Amino acid sequence: KAIWDPDKALPIASKHKVGFSDTNKCVMTTALTIEDKGAEDEQRHVSIGVDVIERILVFVYTGLMLV
């Protein structure tokens, strides 16, 4: 399970109609992830995956911590 910034959860869910819990399932099961080599001053990743209701999700994140 990934840990996401709780302050960003509501704005992202409202804007994109996708919650962090949806991306957790993609990270652990179906996602293809690459490092974003164009990111400056931080390590950033881009993932694409399918969630449990078969939506294709693309998400960008830094500092993924798995617990």
Side-chain angles (χ1 to χ4, degrees), residues 22-52:
D22 300 317
T23 61
N24 280 339
K25 294 173 185 112
C26 285
V27 168
M28 300 307 295
T29 58
T30 62
L32 170 67
T33 301
I34 60 169
E35 185 175 352
D36 180 356
K37 299 288 187 183
E40 296 179 17
D41 301 326
E42 65 183 358
Q43 186 177 24
R44 187 167 57 192
H45 297 88
V46 180
S47 293
I48 184 170
V50 178
D51 71 2
V52 295

Side-chain angles (χ1 to χ4, degrees), residues 1-6 20 24 62-67:
K1 174 179 153 183
I3 299 172
W4 306 96
D5 182 344
F20 285 154
N24 280 339
T62 63
L64 179 67
M65 293 178 53
L66 299 177
V67 293

